Each structure stands twice: as C-alpha cells, then as structure tokens.
Amino acid sequence: MKPAAFEYSAPSTLDEALSLLGDYGGDAKLLAGGQSLVPTMNFRLAQPAALIDLNGIDDLFFIREDGSGLRCGAMTRQRSVERSALVQRVAPLLHEAMPHIAHSQIRNRGTIGGSLAHADPAAELPALAVALDARMYVRSVTDARWVAARDFYVGLFTTAMLPEEMLVEVAFPTLPPGSGWGFDEVARQHGNYALCGAAAVVCLDSGGAVENARLVFLSVGEGPVEAKRAAELLVGERPTQTAIRAAADTAAMHDIDPVGDIHAGPAFRRHLSRVIAERVLSKAIKKATEAGRH
Amino acid sequence: MSTRQFGRPIKRNEDPRLLTGRALFTDDVQLAGMLHVAFLRSDLAHARIRSIDVEGASRSPGVVAVYTAADLGEFWQPGPLLVPPPPVEKLAFHERTQVPLAKDKVRHAGEAVAMVVAESRYIAEDALDDIFVDYEPLDAVTGLEAALREDAPLVHEDLGHNVSARVTQTKGSWTQAESEADLVVRRRFLYDRGTAAALENRGIVASWDEKSQRLTIWDTTQAPIAIRNGLAAMLGLSEHQVRVIAPFIGGGFGPKIMMFYPEEVLLAWAALQLGRPLKWIEDREENFYATTQERGQVHDAAIALKSDGTILGVKDQFLHDAGAYAPYGLTLPISSQCTLLGPYVVPSYHSEFSSVFTNKPIVTPYRGAGRQHGVFVMERLLDIAAKELDIDLVEIRRRNFIPPDRFPYSNEIIFQDFTPLVYDSGNYEPALERALELISYREFIGTEQPRREEAGERVGIAVVNYIEGTGIGPYEGAKVTVEASGKVTVATGVGTQGQGHYTSFAQVVAEQIGVEVSDVHVVTGDTDLFYWGAGTFASRGAVVAGNAMHAAAAKVRAKILKLAGEKLEAAAEDLELLEGRVQVKGVPQTSISLGRLAAEANPMRGSVQPGTEPGLEATEYFGPERGATASGVHAMILKVDPETFLLEIEKYVVVHDCGTVINPLILDGQIQGGVAQGIGNAFYEQLHFDDNGALLNASLMDYLLPTASDVPNILSDHFVTPSPLNPLGVKGAGEAGAIPVGALFAQALDNAFRDIGLEVREIPLSPNRLFELVSEIPARETA
C-alpha cells in the first residue's frame, strides 16, 4: 500500500496553483486534506502524475459573512467549520451536520472544498450544499464562474468542473425567515460512511403552510439526490404528521432508486430513507414553526 | 508474612514500555543494507497460470531479485501438515497444504505468485505492476454445499473432489433418543467468515550472517520454536544456526500460528540466496487475503428432548470451510464437534462433518477456533426447544447441567488434542445464578421489559452457557534463574502477543521465590534463550507454560533453601523467602540476600561438592494429561432501534470459571478483549466474497471492526473450580470472551422480537440482515 511515484508541488498562491493545474492538463490531482485522495493513491486506485498541494495557499482558508450569507474558502478545515460561531449563526444546518462527517481526526485535516469537489455520493457536504442552495466558485487560469450546487454534481465522483478548473470558494445563502432545517443519517458505526442520510430545509409562510421545501439524500444514488416529488407534495400543505409521512413515503418510493452494497440492500436503503426523511422533515418543520412564532 | 503475588490484580510489567513506544516490534528492526520485499498476489480466486513474465520487473532500477515458483527449485515444497488427524475410527482425510508461491494454478484470491526484492518497498510495489501473469480463469467454488456437487470446480484436481476430511463421532444412540423423544427440533444454522484483524499485521525480517553462519529471523509468530525447527530443516541448517525472535506482537489471535506462511519460508530462503537482510511487512490489504481466516460452517442439527426439557440426544451434520488448503488438519471442525455438547448431559450424540476445500483464503484457528459454532448450534437448539416446550430458557439449561458430583465427566468422543473429551472439573449452576443476579434477569423480565415495551421500545435479554477446552498439551518448559543482582529471570519458549505474560508468568515465579513481581524479568519468544516448546495457542499459556514455571521456580526455591540453610546454619523448614532475602523465620537479623546467595552458588575459585550444579537455576517442563475445561455464562440486555435496526448493548455480564486465577486484572482484560471480538463477529464483521471468490471488502473502510463506542463495559465475576490436571489448578481464559457472543446476540434479538416470532439462525448479522429477517416474517405468515 505505497503510492506510485508522482511529482509534487506546493504553490503558495492561487494563480500559481491554477497555472500548474492548467499545465498538467488533467494529469494532476489537487491535494487538499488528502483524506480520500491519499488512501486511494495508497491502494493505487489513483495514480496521478502530480500532486498540487493547496495547503500552503493562505487565501483559501477563510470563513466570512457577506450581505447574502456565508462564504468559505475551499481549504477551510471541516473542524474549523464545525467550531465556527459564525457558521453556527449564519448556516446552522451546516453547523449541526458537521459532527456526522467521519471522525474528528479526519475533520481536523479534511477540508470543505475537498469534500465538495470529491463528490462522493456518501459524503454529507454535497447533500448539504444542495439543500442549502449553495453556490460554488470555480476558477481556472482563464475563467471564473459561479455554479449552483444542484448543477455542480453530475454523477458518481463527478462534478461540472473541467480538468483545469478548481473549486476555490463556496457560498451558502442565508435562509429566508420562517425557515427550519434538519439533518440526520444512519451509519453502522459513528463516523463510518452513512447507509443513508438526508438534509431538509423547509420554509413556512405566514399562515403556517409550507412555502418551500427541499429534501436531499446522501448515500442513495450517484450523488446528492434531491427529493423533488416529496417537496412538491408538501408545498402549499399544512405540515401535519400525515403530510410529512406522505412526503417521506414519496421520497423513499419515487424520488430515489438506491442500489445495494454489502452494507445495505436496496430495500433497506429505501426503508431507511423513509425513516430519515420523516425525521429530518419533522425537525425542519418544528424549527420553522418555532421561527414563525418569533 | 510474605506477600502473596499469585492472584493479585497487579498492573502489567510490560505496559510502560508498550504505552510509551519503547517496545520492539518486527517493523522496528532496521539492519544495514536491508532490502524490502513485496508479493504479487493473484486477483483471481481460481485460475491456471499459463506463464509469468518477470523480465520488465527484473530490469527496473532498484529491483534486486524477482522470484517465481520456478526459481525455487527443490526448495518449493507444500508446507507441513501441522496437526495430523486424531485417532477417530473411519475417518477420511486428504492432506493438501499451502505452497510458497503458486506454481501451476492459483487457488484463492491473494495467493502469492511472485516475490520482488528491492531497495525499498515503494520500488518493490512499483515492480509488481511490471510482472505479467497469463492466467486462464477457472470457475471458482465458494459455497460449502456447492463444493460437494458432482460438477463442482475442483480446488485440487488430483483429488477428484473437494472433500478435505469426513469425520463421524458418536456417543449413545441418536435413533433411540429420537424414538423416545417428546419433541425433536431440527434447524439449519449458518456461521460465516471473519478475520482476526490484529492491530499489527504480520511481518518478517530475515538476516543471514555469513561470518557466524547464522540466520536470524524476527517474526510475528506465536510459535518461534516450531518456526526455527521447520526453517532449519527446510534450509538444511542446524537448529543452532537459526535464531527466531518473536518480539512484541500486536495481537496474535491464532492466525499468527499458521505454519508456515509462504512469506516465512521465502524470506528465510532469499536472505541466504542474497546475503542481505530482508524485510516484509504485510499491509492491511494483504492481511485480508494472505493471513488466515475462520468460521464458515453450515449445520443441520436436531435435538431430541423429553417434555420436561431433558435432553435425550443431539444430531448434527455440518460442513466446514477449510479454504484453499488445510494445514491445520481437523483441529477446527473437531473443536466445533466437541464444544457443541457444552455444560449439558447429552446422553446420545451423532455428529458428522465434511471439511471442504473452497477457493477462499486458508482457514486456521482464530480465537475460539471452531468453538463458536458448536456453542451457537447447541444454545440455539435449546432456545427453540424451550419455546416449543414452554419452558423458561434459563430453566431448560439448569435442568440439563452436568451435576458437580459427576466430574471428571466423560463425553466419550475424541477432542482436538487426540485425548478423550473428559471435562476435568466444573460447577455450572452457581455461575448461572450469579449471572442472572448481575443482569437482574427476573426484574428485567418481570417489570423493566414490559414497562419499556409499553413505551414503544424494543429490548431483549439473553443468557447463554458454554464450556471451553483449554490448556492442551503437548508441553512447555521454563528456565528460572536468580541472578547475582538478586533479580530473577524466567525464560520460556512460547511467544507473547499482548496477553500480559510478562506479568502473569512473573507472578507465578515471584510467588515461589519471594521477590517483587517487578523484579522478575520474563523472556519469551527468543529461540536462543529457550530451546524447547510448542507455542501460544488454545488458551494454554498460563496452563502449560505457567505450570512449567511454577515447577522450575519451586525447584529454584528448594535450591535457595538448601544453600541458605548451609550459609545460615539453619534447617530449610525454619527459613522463609521474603522481599528478596532468605531469613530464619522471625529473625530478620539472620538473613542473606538472594543476590549474594546466587553469587555464592556460582563460585569462581576453590572446590565444590562433586555433583554440584552451579547457580540458583532450574529448568522444568510441564505437559498435562489432557486439556482443562473452562466454562462460563454471558448475559446481555440489548436495545434495538426498531426503525434503523442499530443495536445498543445496555448491559453485558460475564461470569467465568477458569480455575485458579493468577491475575484478575489481566483476566478481565482477556475477557473484555474477547467479548469485543465476539461483538465484532456477531454484528459488524463479515468477509463478503462474490461468486468468483473475490473479496469485496478488503479494507477497514468496509470491514467494520467494533470500536470503543460499540463495546460496553463488561461486568464480570469469576468462580474458581480448580483444575485437578495441573499443580496451579489453572484453566485457560484467552478465548472465553469471544466464544458465546453469537449465540447471545441471537437469543437477545429473538427475545426483543418475540412478539413477531423472530428466530435468528445465522451469524454474523447486520442492520440490513436484521431488517430482512424481520421483513420476511409477515410474508411467511400470509403465505
């Protein structure tokens, strides 16, 4: 379990990193926290010609607030996100979900951008990004663009980025007033990959009916899976337990098509999806209801 | 009053070194000019090797040598059969043992095909990519029943079938039991494979010294002496030319006493060929294929009982998965066969098994070593019978216990150590009562469970019994020496893998010599320091080596008293050994230190009495007549999340009887560790092979080991029924924690889901499997 030989560079500026990435033309890998990449290299499942180490680029480490919400540099450690009071205030769903990501040792090193860009279908951050309607700031030497999270994920371990592009920042908009949120997952052991997980964001109108709802699963498809039919079912409804249960049933039966693996067959994944959907929707609606009262 | 050292819960002598990283493990050995080894392993479970092209790899810079089977010449030999078949009538046995490198075909995924020696492990692994093997893929056989079909692919073609062995053992008449029974319960039970996953993988360093003509091997083995003897014979060296050192080892659990692993013989051989030291450290991925595994069995079992729950007989027919080769002979299935009978009076028993070859990694003993299966089958049969007869499942056990006045108790069949299965001693009912008390059985059943179920919870309780054949022969030895410093050294041949030998063995010796435990230095696992022995396995260290130490220490004690008596002009019976001194009882002023006495026993000038042996030293050996039978009860309260099928162990109780206890703290540690492995085996760990024999979860990302948060604190208590088979009265305890956990989980889950009639008949389980089992129940009812 030793990696194959590779070239290594450690740029100290973003421009330098982008230029290296362009020069290698897809043969290089960006090294962020290395929590997925390095094991993959040790198994020799990945044999990149070069690693471009981003850990020396200070500009990529930040958490700040702007007029529209929260902005995180791609190299911000997951542990920093977890412990940030700013994140807790501006993006509480993100804050609450962070401890579910692997183990604290992994979060100490793992980065928010690394996980978002790796696009592991079992990862929490991509699902959270979609649920929170996050936008990804992507750059190359020649281009810079913002991509909505729901357009960013295009398949298994695949994003909308071109080989010469790099995720440099992610922006989470502030939730509208009257919003509530919830996150939960089922893992066989805490810190392991989840068998199923989901994030929900629900906004109630002044009359207490659902104005907007988003339910996003992880670990049941090729990337974050948005349960659109379930959401449609809820919008305009009063969020009763019956309505929540119906939405969770729809999500599990119609919005996802899980495949089995050695830890959970398709039937169990559907079952868990229903359970988790009901739990996170209930949490989100409870919070939204409380928010509406203030 | 002298302080008793034996039986005290003292902390371990070895822990400061281990906990501060100052203990030598095999990978710590760094030698000048050392080369590194990597193995090319087959991706296919079953394939003919048409050709192997090593040209490219051989020419790579930094590569020193590449070997295939063809390069080994006469040295290429199948490994020895470690355990010949026991003397059981009408037994069929077909010996097929592992080979150093696959020659004509590969028989399991991960079997080594080529060996690369290079300047670094990185270069060696790079070179593996440059070796081209032309394989002709063959259909693989992975299932046990599939292996016995007429048209099954053959693991060993020359054999003409896949049967490694067939054995039948009987006692009494099953036919009669069946005809007299009020109830016969028949079920099929499954147990699947796991891996021991020791913290430290295997590793070997081999170094040939041309000038001294000696080969030194550092090896993560549980049996350094047997490795030395075998390697010397294979390499044409004298045993004195080979030194095997088993340094600190991060967990053995049985797979590290497989002999001989291909890597062991190949590194030794290549070190001689190349004249340079070699190192191979198994990585975690290799460990999933190249280290042996255990536990695949399928049982079709039946129990016959009277309506009051009295057992009349058991019939069991089972298949045992031997993997691709069977170097351990019949050890595992015989152990299952014998352990099944448990602590119960079973008047008739018919047990037959077939051990079958499959295209899966080799199977050898892993903590519990076949016992899990026997316990699972028997305990499950009793649980089901209790339900059918409407008898409390604790009561049905109590009614069938072997009464304390019937020991030694003969079960009339042959055990894995070739001796008749006779339990030396035991007293089962008090241990059961104590376990019920500790788990609050009646209170739980009577009030807590109904109350919590009313509130929508699912909680189950379980209580299971087991016996464990431990401490088998043949023998071990020990040499005890009092040095001129006054400190004591004791050397033995068994290796140590974390059991606390540096402390428990020291306690045995300190008790006799009258010194502090910290002043006894234990030397294990170095063949230059003790020549004879068998190894650490079958919960036998304390029993066999421990008694050898006791005997050697007693002899040294006698020498001390004799010499001190002469020096102090007192009779031996008037002397006492205390705090490193010998003194006339009650007269501390008339005393002599052990160090001084040791120096006097080794005079440098003058004359001695003819026949005098120098030094305060003695070597003794101990071999028991047969194994000692330990026993125990595990009990658990288990909470199940009815939506996610995740489990929480709320309470876990072990009441155990391993005879006299040397160190209760170490014993608790052994039990705790065993239970942790048992929990892993029951609910987390499973090796998933596909139909082609490929292992789907060869990493710790997908092979789940129980973590600290999955393993509860264990409430334990000990009963002492001394073994009459050895002077210390000890029985083994190394495997006790792991053995009954599968049976315990099954019973607890049945209990938690008793409203819908769940009946668990397999291990390991998982949330997914539990969901499936529960989901199947209504479907069956409506069918």
Side-chain angles (χ1 to χ4, degrees):
Chain A
M1 291 183 69
K2 306 289 184 204
F6 54 87
E7 289 174 39
Y8 172 84
S9 41
S12 55
T13 67
L14 178 57
D15 287 342
E16 216 182 318
L18 293 172
S19 152
L20 282 163
L21 190 59
D23 292 348
Y24 279 109
D27 291 337
K29 280 274 182 193
L30 297 169
L31 175 65
Q35 300 303 294
S36 298
L37 176 60
V38 172
T40 313
M41 289 171 67
N42 286 345
F43 278 111
R44 295 197 179 215
L45 297 172
Q47 300 194 14
L51 283 191
I52 302 166
D53 187 344
L54 305 179
N55 286 275
I57 305 176
D58 295 345
D59 290 350
L60 295 176
F61 294 79
F62 64 84
I63 300 174
R64 61 174 169 254
E65 190 180 8
D66 68 6
S68 58
L70 183 79
R71 301 178 66 153
C72 289
M75 283 298 291
T76 308
R77 305 286 176 203
Q78 291 160 8
R79 193 70 157 161
S80 306
V81 177
E82 179 184 349
R83 290 179 163 185
S84 159
L86 182 60
V87 172
Q88 186 176 6
R89 182 165 56 77
V90 183
L93 170 59
L94 189 59
H95 170 78
E96 284 174 25
M98 290 310 288
H100 289 279
I101 301 173
H103 305 277
S104 56
Q105 292 88 340
I106 289 173
R107 296 196 297 276
N108 280 339
R109 193 72 195 160
T111 65
I112 188 167
S115 176
L116 287 169
H118 185 49
D120 186 327
E124 290 82 358
L125 281 165
L128 289 162
V130 174
L132 287 168
D133 209 10
R135 292 186 311 136
M136 326 299 236
Y137 187 48
V138 170
R139 278 195 57 189
S140 67
V141 172
T142 52
D143 263 325
R145 58 187 178 124
W146 285 93
V147 183
R150 67 177 63 188
D151 301 324
F152 188 73
Y153 295 101
V154 297
L156 203 58
F157 294 100
T158 314
T159 69
M161 288 191 291
L162 300 169
E164 66 272 22
E165 284 183 321
M166 171 179 156
L167 174 64
V168 297
E169 188 182 330
V170 54
F172 297 94
T174 311
L175 294 177
S179 294
W181 60 87
F183 180 87
D184 201 358
E185 66 177 33
V186 179
R188 290 190 61 185
Q189 296 169 300
H190 181 81
N192 278 2
Y193 285 114
L195 301 176
C196 170
V201 176
V202 177
C203 183
L204 300 182
D205 63 22
S206 52
V210 175
E211 185 177 332
N212 191 18
R214 246 190 327 272
L215 173 65
V216 185
F217 288 104
L218 56 105
S219 256
V220 297
E222 299 202 330
V225 178
E226 205 175 340
K228 290 185 180 154
R229 280 177 239 196
E232 280 164 20
L233 209 58
L234 278 173
V235 170
E237 295 293 316
R238 300 203 60 86
T240 59
Q241 203 52 46
T242 314
I244 292 171
R245 198 161 291 151
D249 278 345
T250 297
M253 296 314 295
H254 304 298
D255 281 319
I256 61 171
D257 186 15
V259 294
D261 61 21
I262 58 167
H263 298 300
F268 188 44
R269 279 219 154 81
R270 267 195 214 283
H271 166 82
L272 290 176
S273 299
R274 184 184 298 114
V275 168
I276 293 294
E278 192 175 332
R279 286 183 186 178
V280 297
L281 286 170
S282 300
K283 270 188 215 174
I285 285 160
K286 183 162 177 277
K287 280 208 169 77
T289 310
E290 285 164 8
R293 286 198 202 106
H294 293 296
Chain B
M1 266 303 286
S2 82
T3 314
R4 289 220 62 181
Q5 306 292 9
F6 196 96
R8 284 174 61 206
I10 53 175
K11 288 188 181 174
R12 307 198 317 170
N13 278 347
E14 55 266 55
D15 282 347
R17 275 178 80 194
L18 287 166
L19 295 174
T20 55
R22 288 175 293 139
L24 181 86
F25 290 83
T26 301
D27 199 16
D28 295 323
V29 176
Q30 302 292 347
L31 303 173
M34 192 163 73
L35 298 170
H36 297 264
V37 174
F39 290 91
L40 180 70
R41 300 183 182 281
S42 172
D43 292 327
L44 300 172
H46 199 196
R48 223 172 292 289
I49 299 173
R50 290 200 192 101
S51 64
I52 307 174
D53 177 2
V54 301
E55 270 299 304
S58 304
R59 280 201 308 270
S60 299
V63 171
V64 175
V66 182
Y67 301 112
T68 66
D71 300 310
L72 301 180
E74 290 292 297
F75 188 69
W76 190 96
Q77 292 291 337
L81 179 67
L82 291 169
V83 186
V88 174
E89 277 178 42
K90 288 187 229 155
L91 154 162
F93 182 72
H94 307 286
E95 174 179 340
R96 291 295 181 278
T97 56
Q98 74 288 353
V99 298
L101 290 169
K103 192 181 257 177
D104 304 318
K105 73 173 205 172
V106 290
R107 294 184 172 86
H108 68 84
E111 186 166 12
V113 174
M115 169 181 178
V116 174
V117 184
E119 296 291 342
S120 78
R121 176 71 181 242
Y122 287 88
I123 295 170
E125 289 194 21
D126 288 346
L128 298 182
D129 290 342
D130 298 327
I131 298 173
F132 298 98
V133 184
D134 183 8
Y135 289 113
E136 176 194 337
L138 301 171
D139 287 341
V141 54
T142 57
L144 298 182
E145 286 170 292
L148 294 179
R149 278 188 209 123
E150 281 288 315
D151 58 347
L154 297 177
V155 181
H156 301 277
E157 278 135 15
D158 58 324
L159 209 55
H161 52 73
N162 287 317
V163 177
S164 164
R166 285 191 202 276
V167 175
T168 303
Q169 294 211 72
T170 56
K171 118 183 217 197
S173 163
W174 162 255
T175 324
Q176 194 187 334
E178 198 179 16
S179 66
E180 290 171 4
D182 296 318
L183 173 72
V184 177
V185 171
R186 294 172 213 278
R187 291 291 190 279
R188 163 163 282 211
F189 300 104
L190 310 175
Y191 223 101
D192 201 5
R193 275 193 190 216
T195 181
L199 193 56
E200 185 192 11
N201 292 326
R202 290 185 298 123
I204 299 154
V205 174
S207 176
W208 170 252
D209 182 29
E210 187 64 30
K211 287 179 181 156
S212 68
Q213 293 282 299
R214 290 200 85 202
L215 178 68
T216 306
I217 312 267
W218 287 263
D219 187 354
T220 53
T221 180
Q222 296 170 231
I225 290 171
I227 295 286
R228 174 202 59 196
N229 299 348
L231 288 180
M234 289 177 215
L235 296 166
L237 298 171
S238 143
E239 287 172 10
H240 289 280
Q241 285 179 283
V242 181
R243 179 186 188 185
V244 174
I245 301 166
F248 276 100
I249 294 173
F253 310 119
K256 283 181 181 152
I257 198 171
M258 213 305 264
M259 290 180 284
F260 290 76
Y261 274 110
E263 299 88 356
E264 269 162 343
V265 299
L266 289 168
L267 263 88
W269 175 82
L272 261 82
Q273 299 288 313
L274 298 171
R276 286 177 69 179
L278 304 179
K279 177 188 273 189
W280 169 73
I281 300 296
E282 181 183 61
D283 65 34
R284 185 57 69 181
E285 189 182 16
E286 288 183 289
N287 183 264
F288 276 98
Y289 298 99
T291 288
T292 56
Q293 308 170 348
E294 209 209 297
R295 304 229 203 292
Q297 286 185 2
V298 180
H299 289 251
D300 286 303
I303 187 166
L305 313 98
K306 299 297 276 183
S307 58
D308 64 358
T310 307
I311 300 170
L312 295 175
V314 171
K315 181 178 187 187
D316 183 30
Q317 293 171 293
F318 70 98
L319 302 178
H320 170 77
D321 181 0
Y325 304 94
Y328 254 88
L330 296 170
T331 301
L332 287 167
I334 294 252
S335 178
S336 304
Q337 188 168 59
C338 289
T339 307
L340 185 143
L341 293 168
Y344 311 112
V345 175
V346 182
S348 79
Y349 186 39
H350 177 101
S351 169
E352 55 182 85
F353 68 78
S354 295
S355 176
V356 302
F357 291 116
T358 59
N359 290 118
K360 290 194 283 188
I362 304 172
V363 170
T364 68
Y366 156 38
R367 201 177 202 171
R371 298 179 182 89
Q372 275 87 341
H373 316 81
V375 171
F376 187 69
V377 170
M378 187 61 166
E379 294 298 299
R380 289 276 70 196
L381 286 173
L382 281 174
D383 290 342
I384 297 162
K387 192 169 132 190
E388 303 251 331
L389 294 170
D390 197 22
I391 300 174
D392 176 72
L393 45 79
V394 168
E395 183 56 29
I396 199 168
R397 288 166 166 80
R398 192 183 283 118
R399 287 182 192 172
N400 286 289
F401 278 151
I402 299 164
D405 59 0
R406 287 190 58 188
F407 291 92
Y409 182 82
S410 173
N411 258 323
E412 301 170 36
I413 57 174
I414 301 292
F415 190 48
Q416 58 150 315
D417 64 351
F418 307 172
T419 65
L421 182 64
V422 177
Y423 300 171
D424 54 344
S425 63
N427 189 3
Y428 306 130
E429 190 156 348
L432 176 64
E433 285 305 324
R434 181 71 180 132
L436 295 175
E437 192 184 311
L438 289 173
I439 201 84
S440 308
Y441 185 78
R442 285 165 194 96
E443 191 195 329
F444 182 84
I445 299 277
T447 57
E448 185 180 339
Q449 191 178 31
R451 174 172 52 75
R452 293 178 64 182
E453 285 177 344
E454 190 69 26
E457 285 189 68
R458 268 205 189 278
V459 278
I461 193 165
V463 184
V464 298
N465 296 270
Y466 62 102
I467 57 101
E468 183 198 354
T470 73
I472 58 173
Y475 79 96
E476 290 296 338
K479 179 163 83 177
V480 172
T481 310
V482 179
E483 298 180 4
S485 61
K487 301 207 175 195
V488 181
T489 293
V490 53
T492 181
V494 301
T496 193
Q497 304 89 40
Q499 295 91 338
H501 289 156
Y502 294 89
T503 312
S504 52
F505 288 164
Q507 283 178 268
V508 171
V509 172
E511 175 79 12
Q512 290 298 314
I513 313 277
V515 294
E516 285 299 316
V517 172
S518 56
D519 286 335
V520 180
H521 178 54
V522 176
V523 176
T524 75
D526 183 339
T527 59
D528 269 14
L529 297 175
F530 200 83
Y531 197 86
W532 301 98
T536 307
F537 57 94
S539 303
R540 69 191 287 280
V543 181
V544 191
N547 275 289
M549 275 169 203
H550 172 71
K555 203 164 170 186
V556 170
R557 179 188 176 89
K559 284 189 177 181
I560 290 168
L561 291 174
K562 179 167 180 286
L563 186 61
E566 289 164 16
K567 301 289 171 196
L568 300 176
E569 296 179 342
E573 56 270 23
D574 294 333
L575 298 175
E576 59 185 353
L577 273 68
L578 200 59
E579 290 167 7
R581 304 182 70 80
V582 192
Q583 66 178 39
V584 175
K585 281 180 189 164
V587 192
Q589 349 24 327
T590 314
S591 74
I592 184 167
S593 75
L594 285 181
R596 168 109 180 275
L597 211 54
E600 300 258 1
N602 181 24
M604 299 306 286
R605 291 288 185 277
S607 65
V608 296
Q609 288 288 323
T612 299
E613 284 179 18
L616 300 177
E617 178 175 290
T619 300
E620 283 291 322
Y621 298 89
F622 179 77
E625 161 192 346
R626 58 175 189 272
T629 306
S631 64
V633 187
H634 287 211
M636 172 170 76
I637 293 173
L638 187 68
K639 181 175 157 188
V640 188
D641 182 324
E643 290 187 316
T644 63
F645 298 91
L646 298 179
L647 306 184
E648 186 192 333
I649 301 171
E650 295 189 339
K651 198 167 178 187
Y652 201 110
V653 166
V654 177
V655 180
H656 187 243
D657 182 350
C658 59
T660 315
V661 177
I662 301 172
N663 181 327
L665 198 59
I666 287 178
L667 177 58
D668 282 348
Q670 277 284 16
I671 300 287
Q672 177 94 29
V675 170
Q677 269 178 323
I679 290 171
N681 182 205
F683 199 70
Y684 296 98
E685 303 180 45
Q686 185 166 17
L687 292 167
H688 294 271
F689 292 91
D690 70 11
D691 291 342
N692 298 317
L695 179 56
L696 303 177
N697 58 335
S699 88
L700 295 182
M701 275 188 293
D702 284 318
Y703 185 85
L704 306 185
L705 294 171
T707 65
S709 48
D710 307 311
V711 179
N713 282 323
I714 289 161
L715 195 57
S716 64
D717 198 4
H718 305 286
F719 271 79
V720 176
T721 314
S723 173
L725 299 174
N726 64 75
L728 292 177
V730 296
K731 301 175 177 182
E735 298 166 274
I739 292 170
V741 190
L744 191 71
F745 267 70
Q747 196 191 90
L749 288 167
D750 278 11
N751 184 249
F753 287 95
R754 66 194 183 290
D755 54 332
I756 58 168
L758 179 68
E759 189 182 287
V760 172
R761 294 183 296 269
E762 65 191 58
I763 292 290
L765 298 165
S766 66
N768 184 66
R769 189 62 191 136
L770 201 49
F771 165 78
E772 289 173 353
L773 292 174
V774 168
S775 306
E776 280 164 14
I777 293 170
R780 230 183 12 224
E781 280 175 359
T782 53

